[in-house]
């Protein structure tokens, strides 16, 4: 042992060191470090410790000193070492951020990681690290559409008022159509889901026709009245209104929320409305069909039934849609609106302000 090296092991440390050596799940680097300390405490010299542990002299000396300075915890923790690659300065990160927020060169629409790495003369991993630190994702884009309806606020409050505080002795319906639903039959059968493999579906298909689903969501009950029809015209819409009229109990007022599609405002539809005085139409603002509650049902239908569906005929598609509507009505859930109208109006105003400042 070197002169001046005194390793004192307390009974508690002795127990911990022995546990590290004897436990089979201990990392090997922790095992031989503990052996060096235990052998040193027993009075063995450096040469003997080297022979028993198979480690070099410098390693023995290093862990003897580490235990003397940091105790047992020092053996189980590696010191951090500086990277062999020098860190990038803040000016490099600022330059990458500035380039990312600018238009990329050439006939491309957005920056890629490799293009940015080449332009900034840094590695791809460094580029990705800078983007991740600053919350930049040039490969992603979100779509939006701001309503230009001059009566946006009034129509919004009208519709949301029906959701939040519906009139007494009245039925609130969210009415819309999901048009051009395709009966797609895949050219080859897909493989089922299994452990370690997702389900498969061929990208090409055979189209066996299209149908239009007319739907009316009862906001208070969550039930859906649906009809599949061949066309998407005012004639079919009037037939659907007659079907809904027949299912609603007499004596109840009907508030129908719908978008500004031309079919909903056809002169014959307006004439039908005059013949049925208990019906009141409420139109959402232009470019704000997201305000229509039945859109959530359409999204659920598309995601859970239509997107992966295989339909050999138009009849099978319509039967599947009808079964989905029946399943929904078997366990209906009322629609609950939670967003405050003033927050939506403020957000739309901010969006218009940003667009006006850009243009």
């Amino acid at each position: 042992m070197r002169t001046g090296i005194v390793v004192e092991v307390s009974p508690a440390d002795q127990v911990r060191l022995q546990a590290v050596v004897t436990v089979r799940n201990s990392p090997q680097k922790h095992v031989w470090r503990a052996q060096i300390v235990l052998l040193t405490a027993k009075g063995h010299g450096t040469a003997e410790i080297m022979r028993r542990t198979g480690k070099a002299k410098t390693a023995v000396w290093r862990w003897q000193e580490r235990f003397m300075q940091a105790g047992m915890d020092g053996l189980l923790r590696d010191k951090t070492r500086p990277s062999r690659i020098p860190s990038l300065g803040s000016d490099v990160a600022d330059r990458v951020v500035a380039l990312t927020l600018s238009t990329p060169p050439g006939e491309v629409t957005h920056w890629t990681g490799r293009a940015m790495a080449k332009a900034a003369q840094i590695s791809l991993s460094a580029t990705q690290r800078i983007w991740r630190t600053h919350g930049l994702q040039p490969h992603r884009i979100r779509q939006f559409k701001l309503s230009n309806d001059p009566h946006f606020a009034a129509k919004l409050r009208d519709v949301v008022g029906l959701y939040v505080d519906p009139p007494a002795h009245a039925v609130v319906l969210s009415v819309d159509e999901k048009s051009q639903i395709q009966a797609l039959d895949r050219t080859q059968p897909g493989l089922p889901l299994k452990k370690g493999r997702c389900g498969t579906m061929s990208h090409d298909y055979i189209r066996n026709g299209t149908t239009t689903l007319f739907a009316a969501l009862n906001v208070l009950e969550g039930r859906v009245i649906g009809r599949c029809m061949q066309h998407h015209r005012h004639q079919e819409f009037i037939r659907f209104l007659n079907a809904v009229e027949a299912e609603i109990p007499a004596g109840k007022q009907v508030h129908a929320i719908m978008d500004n599609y031309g079919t909903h405002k056809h002169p014959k539809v307006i004439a039908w409305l005059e013949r049925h005085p208990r019906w009141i139409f409420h139109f959402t603002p232009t470019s704000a069909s997201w305000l229509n509650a039945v859109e959530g049902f359409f999204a659920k239908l598309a995601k859970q039934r239509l997107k992966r569906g295989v339909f050999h005929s138009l009849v099978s598609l319509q039967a599947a849609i009808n079964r989905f509507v029946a399943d929904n009505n078997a366990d209906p859930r009322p629609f609950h609106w939670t967003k405050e109208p003033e927050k939506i109006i403020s957000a739309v105003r901010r969006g218009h302000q940003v667009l006006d400042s850009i243009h």
Side-chain angles (χ1 to χ4, degrees), residues 145-160 260 283-291 337 339-350 352:
K145 175 66 175 180
L146 291 178
S147 175
N148 292 318
D149 196 323
H151 306 291
F152 176 83
K155 292 181 179 180
L156 174 69
R157 293 190 180 97
D158 179 36
V159 174
V160 174
N260 294 272
F283 294 100
T284 62
T286 56
S287 304
S289 59
W290 46 265
L291 192 57
W337 182 271
K339 195 73 171 181
E340 296 182 6
E342 299 305 324
K343 292 185 178 180
I344 300 176
I345 295 172
S346 299
V348 172
R349 288 174 179 171
R350 289 195 301 270
H352 282 294

Side-chain angles (χ1 to χ4, degrees), residues 88-349:
L88 299 175
S90 59
D91 56 332
V92 177
D94 294 340
R95 182 156 53 91
V96 170
V97 172
L99 285 174
T100 306
L101 299 179
S102 63
T103 304
E107 293 297 323
V108 294
T109 58
H110 62 280
W111 286 99
T112 62
R114 287 181 172 81
M116 178 57 67
K118 182 178 179 181
Q121 297 182 350
I122 57 177
S123 65
L124 174 62
S125 60
T127 300
Q128 294 172 338
R129 185 168 58 252
I130 294 172
W131 281 352
R132 186 164 52 249
T133 302
H134 292 81
L136 296 173
Q137 296 177 325
H139 64 286
R140 298 186 61 186
I141 190 169
R142 293 178 60 184
Q143 297 180 341
F144 79 101
K145 175 66 175 180
L146 291 178
S147 175
N148 292 318
D149 196 323
H151 306 291
F152 176 83
K155 292 181 179 180
L156 174 69
R157 293 190 180 97
D158 179 36
V159 174
V160 174
L162 292 174
Y163 291 151
V164 178
D165 187 18
H169 307 292
V171 176
V172 178
L173 299 178
S174 175
V175 181
D176 203 359
E177 305 88 22
K178 186 173 181 61
S179 60
Q180 297 297 311
I181 304 177
Q182 303 182 82
L184 301 182
D185 186 8
R186 303 295 165 176
T187 57
Q188 297 175 352
L191 298 176
L193 175 70
K194 65 177 292 186
K195 190 175 181 178
R197 185 192 69 195
C198 64
T200 64
M201 176 179 289
S202 63
H203 70 276
D204 52 345
Y205 54 84
I206 300 173
R207 191 172 72 168
N208 296 316
T210 61
T211 188
T212 295
L213 173 62
F214 290 79
L217 171 67
N218 189 323
V219 175
L220 300 179
E221 298 179 359
R223 297 175 58 85
V224 175
I225 302 173
R227 295 291 187 276
C228 289
M229 299 185 186
Q230 191 69 25
H231 300 286
H232 185 202
R233 304 170 303 180
H234 72 275
Q235 295 95 322
E236 286 75 23
F237 184 57
I238 292 177
R239 285 167 51 196
F240 175 68
L241 291 177
N242 289 327
V244 176
E245 166 72 13
E247 293 196 20
I248 297 178
K252 286 193 174 183
Q253 198 174 38
V254 183
H255 295 267
I257 301 171
M258 56 189 68
D259 59 21
N260 294 272
Y261 187 64
T263 298
H264 301 159
K265 298 182 177 181
H266 193 275
K268 293 187 178 180
V269 175
I270 301 301
W272 182 94
L273 183 62
E274 294 175 353
R275 295 193 302 270
H276 297 79
R278 71 167 181 163
W279 280 72
I280 300 175
F281 284 0
H282 302 262
F283 294 100
T284 62
T286 56
S287 304
S289 59
W290 46 265
L291 192 57
N292 211 349
V294 75
E295 294 293 342
F297 172 77
F298 287 154
K300 181 180 177 181
L301 169 67
K303 186 176 182 180
Q304 297 185 2
R305 189 61 187 92
L306 300 178
K307 186 176 181 180
R308 301 188 186 186
V310 177
F311 307 103
H312 304 294
S313 65
L314 186 61
V315 174
S316 64
L317 170 63
Q318 294 174 341
I321 294 175
N322 293 333
R323 290 194 302 269
F324 188 88
V325 173
D327 290 344
N328 176 85
N329 294 338
D331 184 23
R333 296 185 179 182
F335 175 76
H336 296 286
W337 182 271
T338 58
K339 195 73 171 181
E340 296 182 6
E342 299 305 324
K343 292 185 178 180
I344 300 176
I345 295 172
S346 299
V348 172
R349 288 174 179 171

Side-chain angles (χ1 to χ4, degrees), residues 62-114:
R62 180 188 307 118
W63 293 107
Q64 286 174 343
E65 293 179 359
R66 182 74 64 81
F67 183 81
M68 293 171 59
Q69 296 171 0
M72 184 64 188
D73 294 335
L75 298 181
L76 305 180
R77 184 181 67 252
D78 295 333
K79 284 188 175 181
T80 57
R81 297 179 177 86
S83 175
R84 294 181 293 107
I85 303 175
S87 59
L88 299 175
S90 59
D91 56 332
V92 177
D94 294 340
R95 182 156 53 91
V96 170
V97 172
L99 285 174
T100 306
L101 299 179
S102 63
T103 304
E107 293 297 323
V108 294
T109 58
H110 62 280
W111 286 99
T112 62
R114 287 181 172 81

